[in-house]
Amino acid sequence: MSLWSLKNIPKTLSFRLTLWYFVIFSLSSLVLFGLTYIFLYSSLREYDRNMIQTKLEEFSILYETGGIEDIEKDATAEADKKDPFLVRLASDKNETLFVNLPPNFSGFDLNELEKIDLSNDEKLIILQSKTNKTTFEIATTELLDGNILQVGKSNMERERILNHFREIFTIVIFALIMLGFGGGTFFAIRALRPIRNLTQTVQSIVTGKMGAHVPIPRTGDELDELVRLFNEMLEKIESLITGMKSSLDNVAHDLRTPMARLRAEAEIALQSCEDINLYKEALIECVEESDQILRMLNTLMDISEAETGTMKLDLKVVDFSKIIDETIELYLYLAEEKNIKIEKNTTENLFLMVDPNRIKQVIANLLDNAIKYTPSGGMVHLKAYMGEENVILEVMDTGIGISPEDLPKIWDRLFRGDKSRAQRGLGLGLSLVKAIVEAHGGRTEVKSEPHKGSTFIIHLPSYNRTSLHNI
Ligand code: ADP
């Protein structure tokens, strides 16, 4: 590992996640153990104090029934027990009449106890050992004859248990801290795996490997969603690039034919003897071919402008029915020549806020196709009406129809159906229709059945009548 990567480890998300997990885990364990220790300490102390009280009551009954001898006998027997009690009998002036000092009372100063003024009604006397850290807790009661009985207990046994607990606690907390660190590292590595995969994928895309995908973690969490969306975005970009590439290939391919024809015409004219008529014919052909190329390039530019939103739209409030009439008029001669009947059926007052020339281009393209792909004797029907939200135009024909395989492709740039190759066309009409309609906030649809006919439907946002009055 390089010095740079070592220096950057503290800045990494994995390191910070591990650290957070480790700190939170260790702190929670410490708090939990601290609380358990406090609870254990106070329970043991409470237990000791209860024991002292019970013993005090026992010895006071013993004194009342059997006198000092019985106390002496029982108190001496205490010394053999594991955690023996101190028993002291004193006069009303606090002079010791009897005391047993068990072995665990080392460092206990009897004088100190004798100096305490017992009239203060103190419930519990706490004394410190002179030689070690042991404390002694002593309870006092006054007997019927005025003497004083005291029972005490050292905290040695309690400390032994607490010490044992502290030892176990140290080992467990150490193990837990190790576990916290290990667990933190494991979870951080696991949680950040999708992000690492994402980085690797982006890196491989940057280095030119298109088509790379991030493996989905399938955990159902936010990262899962992010990876899924990221993959979707990659697929979209990929399909856009493929589309652009194939469009470029198609354009290059479609331009080659007219360019080759143009060159051939010019070449033939150059080789022919100086016949002025042949030159003229060749030039006419050349102009036609150049027009075809220009038309194609202009339409391609229009489509891309409309698609990218840079097309300049000269928006006006227009009567849709009027625009349809004007466009139909341009095609009446063509239809008549082919013996095709054009019918129109539009509702009144269909107002739109559109660029009239562009919308005429849309209707013209649909009408042109309908006439082009309908055999002689057929019929074309235009229907415009107000839909639920949009103004709708349907262009129906009784033509050759479109096969289900071709149907999704007809809106693509430069696509031409196999059966359409005999007809004039560039394969750009419908792409332009779709781009212009979408640039106006509308959408396109098509229904078609081979040998029966097609219906092209366009939806355009209607213009609000109330705003119309303000114009
Ligand atoms: P072009 O008509 O120049 O070939 P278009 O983009 O206008 O290009 O149409 C693309 C293809 O969709 C056509 O080649 C044809 O196969 C099909 N098509 C379009 N309109 C119709 C129609 N009214 N009837 C049958 N086929 C159609």
Side-chain angles (χ1 to χ4, degrees), residues 303 365-374 380 395-403 406-407 409-421 423-433 446-449 453-456:
I303 295 171
N365 270 303
L366 295 178
L367 201 52
D368 188 61
N369 279 349
I371 297 171
K372 203 161 63 174
Y373 299 117
T374 300
V380 174
V395 181
M396 285 169 275
D397 63 56
T398 54
I400 58 170
I402 306 163
S403 68
D406 282 354
L407 214 53
K409 301 183 214 153
I410 55 167
W411 307 101
D412 294 347
R413 279 172 230 213
L414 299 165
F415 174 82
R416 302 209 71 204
D418 285 339
K419 286 190 202 148
S420 331
R421 302 229 174 247
Q423 303 282 351
R424 72 193 149 79
L426 298 169
L428 289 172
L430 288 181
S431 311
L432 185 66
V433 165
V446 60
K447 292 174 192 160
S448 185
E449 238 183 284
S454 313
T455 305
F456 284 83

Side-chain angles (χ1 to χ4, degrees), residues 67-267:
I68 192 162
E69 289 81 19
D70 275 11
I71 290 230
E72 270 179 38
K73 211 164 77 195
D74 267 40
T76 319
E78 273 294 313
D80 300 333
K81 293 186 181 161
K82 193 176 167 233
D83 190 18
F85 286 85
L86 166 118
V87 183
R88 176 175 176 251
L89 189 67
S91 67
D92 53 354
K93 293 196 178 65
N94 200 10
E95 296 149 345
T96 306
L97 300 175
F98 162 79
V99 69
N100 78 318
L101 266 182
N104 59 351
F105 269 64
S106 71
F108 175 76
D109 187 0
L110 188 61
N111 287 337
E112 212 180 332
L113 191 59
E114 284 175 335
K115 275 183 218 149
I116 290 172
D117 181 5
L118 294 174
S119 58
N120 280 351
D121 221 21
E122 251 182 278
K123 286 263 179 299
L124 198 73
I125 301 165
I126 297 172
L127 296 178
Q128 195 70 43
S129 163
K130 300 285 174 212
T131 52
N132 52 39
K133 284 184 178 164
T134 316
T135 54
F136 310 105
E137 291 179 345
I138 299 146
T140 308
T141 188
E142 201 183 327
L143 298 164
L144 290 175
D145 58 4
N147 282 342
I148 287 156
L149 181 67
Q150 289 182 315
V151 170
K153 196 173 186 302
S154 99
N155 74 342
M156 223 176 224
E157 183 59 17
R158 195 163 77 205
E159 269 310 303
R160 196 187 59 77
I161 296 171
L162 288 173
N163 245 341
H164 192 57
F165 179 81
R166 280 194 296 264
E167 273 166 25
I168 294 173
F169 168 75
T170 314
I171 296 167
V172 172
I173 205 78
F174 182 74
L176 277 179
I177 283 174
M178 288 290 114
L179 193 76
F181 189 73
T185 315
F186 174 75
F187 285 120
I189 290 175
R190 224 182 118 91
L192 294 178
R193 193 184 296 150
I195 304 227
R196 274 196 308 280
N197 289 341
L198 213 77
T199 317
Q200 273 166 13
T201 311
V202 173
Q203 256 165 7
S204 53
I205 291 170
V206 169
T207 52
K209 194 183 156 211
M210 278 311 286
H213 274 73
V214 190
I216 298 180
R218 299 200 193 287
T219 44
D221 58 10
E222 293 89 340
L223 282 177
D224 209 310
E225 180 72 0
L226 175 73
V227 169
R228 200 183 52 72
L229 287 174
F230 188 80
N231 281 342
E232 247 175 62
M233 186 183 78
L234 285 183
E235 272 161 30
K236 202 147 196 172
I237 292 175
E238 213 182 315
S239 86
L240 275 176
I241 292 176
T242 319
M244 270 167 62
K245 231 176 127 234
S246 87
S247 285
L248 215 68
D249 289 350
N250 287 343
V251 171
H253 180 265
D254 281 49
L255 274 179
R256 220 171 34 200
T257 319
M259 285 297 279
R261 275 205 298 260
L262 195 119
R263 195 182 177 283
E265 294 291 341
E267 212 168 12

